[in-house]
Amino acid sequence: MKMKKKSVSEWVKSGDPWVWLNAGAVAISVIMVIGLLLLIAVRGLGHFWPADVVEARYELPGTQAYNIVAERVESVEVPAAQLREAGIDIPDHHKLMQRTLMKTGNRDIYGSDFRWVIDEYLTDVKRPEMLFTAERHEWGNLYGYLQSVKQDGQVVSETNDTTPTESALATWAAFESSIDRATDIFDEIHEIEKGDIGKINYGLERIRLEQRRLELNGELTPAAVADLAVERSQYDEEYKLLQQSLIDLYAKINRDTFVVQAMDGTVHELPVAKIVRAYRANAMNFGQKMAFYFAKLGEFLSAEPREANTEGGVFPAIFGTVMMVLLMTVLVTPFGVVAAVYLREYAKQGVLTRIIRIAVNNLAGVPSIVYGVFGLGFFIYFLGSGIDQAFFPEALPSPTFGTGGLMWASITLALLTVPVVIVATEEGLSRIPRNVREGSLALGATKAETLWRVILPMASPAIMTGVILAVARAAGEVAPLMLVGVVKLAPSLPLDGNYPYIHLDQKFMHLGFHIYDVGFQSPNVEAARPLVYATALLLVVVIALLNLAAVTIRNHLREKYKSLEM
């Protein structure tokens, strides 16, 4: 039987074009998202791979040749006319030139650690095995040839070879050993300064505030002063012991130095204590590079930032982001659910209720910066100042809650996301059949019991959907946080071993703000760019993990209460 062909008008009326249009739009969206994630992953995760270091001669036409030692960062093609306008003598027959960004490091020697070179004028390119890279606590990477290692000014190992001879390898081994020793001492110093001395400073501040409180209340008796003095003297004695330990540790860590030859031929003696790690990328095999890569990735996830946030890790930002989102979730869920239950189950359905629902929906569309301004004006300047006057007068004029902090940031984001939870919960409540409510009431349950034991359990998957949407929005917000508590670098985490353990008044770091700060406020843009990609990918992963946890809970609740819906 011959099939009758559809006309264009019939095909359009059948709805098939809209199905294909929607499918195409979804496919394009998925491809764009995957492409964006791949771009971020490649640009960000590639930063941790130990790149080879090249040594070459570079000579532009009409200039003096010089030696260059650097990592290749990226290559681009530029019009030759652009280079001629910059004053470079490029022959007329050239239309496009390959230009490469080289990371030369040694910022303390050359003033900058990146420079552009034209590939055509790079000659005698080689990758010597003894050429090393040293990551430092300050001044970025160091590149050069190791010449000697010293202890207390005395040479313990030296070499003049730039090839892997026995003496060069022995000097390198001595250098690695001195770095390991300095790293162990550095960790001890860090533990004392941030841990032990931090606790002492916290205790001394507590004593100062207690004395001030007694003075304001007229209770500062001679006996109270004596007791506080005894407690303060105990802290002073502990501090003196720790200070002596620090003096000894600093003397030990400053014992070793090394001599390095830079790319311009100059020789420099530097302290080993400034080195985080050193490696010879040109001499590493694939397995060694993989081990180095995962070590660097682990440092990125677990260490504190350094070098104006362009080096080191982002653990404080991860911790601050997750803690803020968890506090926001604890705050927004009960308020959103209670508001939705009242609007759906108790409020009289009329004009006023409809106006409230419209207002809630409109709140979801308010720009986030408006919530930040509201949080700054109401929560910090009004509520926070009132709390300081009522409960922390001894700390004034230094604010406790009258300034940005973790609590105000969490409350501000809870206010921002509560409309999402209200709408999702109301949708879930509206889908529960009326006969379920009537059956529960017919069996003798009160309205409150029906709500608590039947309605809310059945609506819990919808509640979790609202929480998922709230987490997805709140975790990526930056604008309001800039006004209510986030900072570039927090001296300590908002959770530690000092009472009351969770410091809701403390400022914190956030991954979203970290991306903004590193990408747009960094003094070294080229060095910061890879970390922007890496941190952006990390933020996506953190949000995905938080959402995955919420989705898992939602699916569990859906399976648990599925029988009630049947």
Side-chain angles (χ1 to χ4, degrees):
M1 186 174 177
K2 194 174 180 179
M3 296 289 294
K4 184 180 178 181
K5 293 180 69 175
K6 284 185 178 181
S7 65
V8 175
S9 59
E10 291 175 338
W11 183 60
V12 171
K13 289 179 180 179
S14 67
D16 289 344
W18 310 115
V19 174
W20 284 102
L21 184 62
N22 288 333
V26 171
I28 292 173
S29 299
V30 171
I31 292 172
M32 291 176 65
V33 170
I34 293 175
L36 177 62
L37 292 177
L38 286 176
L39 173 65
I40 294 174
V42 171
R43 290 292 188 93
L45 296 180
H47 169 68
F48 306 109
W49 187 260
D52 289 348
V53 182
V54 300
E55 181 180 14
R57 294 292 290 174
Y58 186 60
E59 183 179 8
L60 286 173
T63 64
Q64 186 176 359
Y66 63 89
N67 201 44
I68 185 169
V69 174
E71 294 180 13
R72 293 182 182 269
V73 178
E74 62 176 339
S75 296
V76 295
E77 284 189 341
V78 296
Q82 179 180 334
L83 298 176
R84 294 189 192 101
E85 292 175 359
I88 302 174
D89 187 13
I90 304 296
D92 294 337
H93 65 274
H94 286 294
K95 301 300 181 184
L96 291 174
M97 302 290 289
Q98 188 83 10
R99 193 168 68 154
T100 300
L101 180 64
M102 307 290 282
K103 185 175 183 179
T104 56
N106 301 24
R107 189 166 68 248
D108 51 335
I109 301 173
Y110 310 130
S112 63
D113 48 3
F114 287 89
R115 67 181 65 181
W116 287 96
V117 300
I118 302 173
D119 290 7
E120 184 172 329
Y121 301 111
L122 277 177
T123 58
D124 194 22
V125 179
K126 52 187 177 181
R127 292 174 173 80
E129 289 190 19
M130 294 310 298
L131 196 55
F132 77 95
T133 304
E135 296 178 16
R136 298 183 287 181
H137 293 287
E138 297 176 339
W139 300 108
N141 283 2
L142 170 72
Y143 301 102
Y145 289 103
L146 182 65
Q147 289 196 337
S148 64
V149 178
K150 297 182 179 182
Q151 292 182 5
D152 294 323
Q154 303 297 317
V155 175
V156 296
S157 183
E158 66 177 338
T159 182
N160 292 319
D161 297 325
T162 58
T163 57
T165 61
E166 185 176 345
S167 64
L169 294 176
T171 304
W172 178 255
F175 183 44
E176 288 185 314
S177 177
S178 64
I179 292 174
D180 292 339
R181 173 183 175 276
T183 301
D184 292 338
I185 298 174
F186 181 85
D187 291 339
E188 291 184 48
I189 292 174
H190 185 269
E191 178 62 29
I192 291 175
E193 289 181 340
K194 294 207 70 174
D196 299 336
I197 293 182
K199 291 179 180 178
I200 290 175
N201 290 335
Y202 184 85
L204 290 174
E205 178 64 11
R206 181 183 55 80
I207 292 173
R208 185 189 72 82
L209 293 177
E210 177 64 17
Q211 182 170 340
R212 176 61 177 164
R213 185 188 65 82
L214 293 174
E215 183 180 347
L216 291 175
N217 294 337
E219 301 173 358
L220 191 61
T221 61
V225 172
D227 291 341
L228 293 175
V230 170
E231 193 173 355
R232 187 182 287 109
S233 65
Q234 293 175 350
Y235 282 119
D236 290 339
E237 290 298 322
E238 292 180 26
Y239 178 76
K240 289 179 182 178
L241 295 175
L242 292 175
Q243 189 177 35
Q244 185 58 49
S245 298
L246 283 177
I247 292 173
D248 296 339
L249 289 173
Y250 275 113
K252 290 181 180 179
I253 201 173
N254 291 323
R255 184 196 71 177
D256 298 342
T257 60
F258 68 100
V259 177
V260 60
Q261 178 185 329
M263 74 180 190
D264 58 359
T266 58
V267 176
H268 306 270
E269 183 174 349
L270 302 171
V272 175
K274 300 296 184 182
I275 305 299
V276 178
R277 64 169 60 84
Y279 57 95
R280 295 182 295 124
N282 298 340
M284 297 168 70
N285 57 36
F286 181 77
Q288 291 171 327
K289 287 189 175 184
M290 285 296 295
F292 179 91
Y293 177 82
F294 285 110
K296 281 280 290 181
L297 192 59
E299 180 195 45
F300 178 69
L301 297 175
S302 61
E304 297 179 355
R306 61 177 190 273
E307 282 285 314
N309 290 349
T310 61
E311 297 288 346
V314 292
F315 177 74
I318 298 173
F319 189 91
T321 302
V322 173
M323 191 169 182
M324 181 204 67
V325 170
L326 292 178
L327 284 174
M328 181 276 302
T329 304
V330 170
L331 292 169
V332 75
T333 304
F335 282 103
V337 172
V338 167
V341 166
Y342 176 78
L343 289 174
R344 178 60 58 177
E345 302 292 328
Y346 289 95
K348 183 179 180 181
Q349 303 303 311
V351 176
L352 181 60
T353 308
R354 287 197 296 271
I355 292 175
I356 292 174
R357 286 198 178 96
I358 292 172
V360 169
N361 291 327
N362 288 338
L363 281 175
V366 174
S368 59
I369 189 65
V370 175
Y371 286 97
V373 173
F374 177 80
L376 177 66
F378 182 73
F379 293 135
I380 295 178
Y381 291 158
F382 179 71
L383 284 183
S385 298
I387 291 173
D388 286 352
Q389 292 286 346
F391 299 101
F392 304 100
E394 64 275 8
L396 294 174
S398 297
T400 303
F401 284 97
T403 184
L406 179 63
M407 183 175 74
W408 300 135
S410 300
I411 294 177
T412 300
L413 289 186
L415 186 65
L416 185 150
T417 55
V418 73
V420 178
V421 178
I422 292 174
V423 171
T425 304
E426 271 210 88
E427 289 294 325
L429 293 172
S430 66
R431 289 198 297 267
I432 298 175
R434 183 179 181 85
N435 57 11
V436 173
R437 294 177 172 83
E438 293 174 347
S440 176
L441 294 172
L443 291 173
T446 63
K447 188 170 184 177
E449 290 173 335
T450 299
L451 178 67
W452 185 253
R453 296 180 180 274
V454 179
I455 304 302
L456 285 181
M458 292 180 66
S460 56
I463 296 172
M464 290 306 301
T465 299
V467 172
I468 293 168
L469 296 173
V471 167
R473 182 177 182 189
E477 286 291 349
V478 177
L481 299 182
M482 295 170 67
L483 301 176
V484 292
V486 75
V487 290
K488 174 187 176 74
L489 184 63
S492 59
L493 296 176
L495 178 67
D496 56 27
N498 297 319
Y499 182 84
Y501 312 118
I502 298 179
H503 305 282
L504 297 178
D505 60 312
Q506 189 168 302
K507 296 182 184 295
F508 65 101
M509 295 180 66
H510 184 271
L511 285 172
F513 182 77
H514 190 78
I515 294 170
Y516 163 76
D517 176 69
V518 173
F520 299 98
Q521 304 295 315
S522 174
N524 196 343
V525 177
E526 298 295 346
R529 187 182 301 164
L531 285 182
V532 172
Y533 288 107
T535 309
L537 179 64
L538 180 60
L539 178 58
V540 172
V541 171
V542 168
I543 294 174
L545 290 176
L546 290 170
N547 284 341
L548 183 61
V551 168
T552 303
I553 297 172
R554 182 188 64 183
N555 292 342
H556 172 73
L557 294 172
R558 184 173 290 165
E559 290 296 324
K560 182 177 180 180
Y561 298 112
K562 183 184 292 185
S563 59
L564 294 176
E565 299 177 3
M566 300 177 61

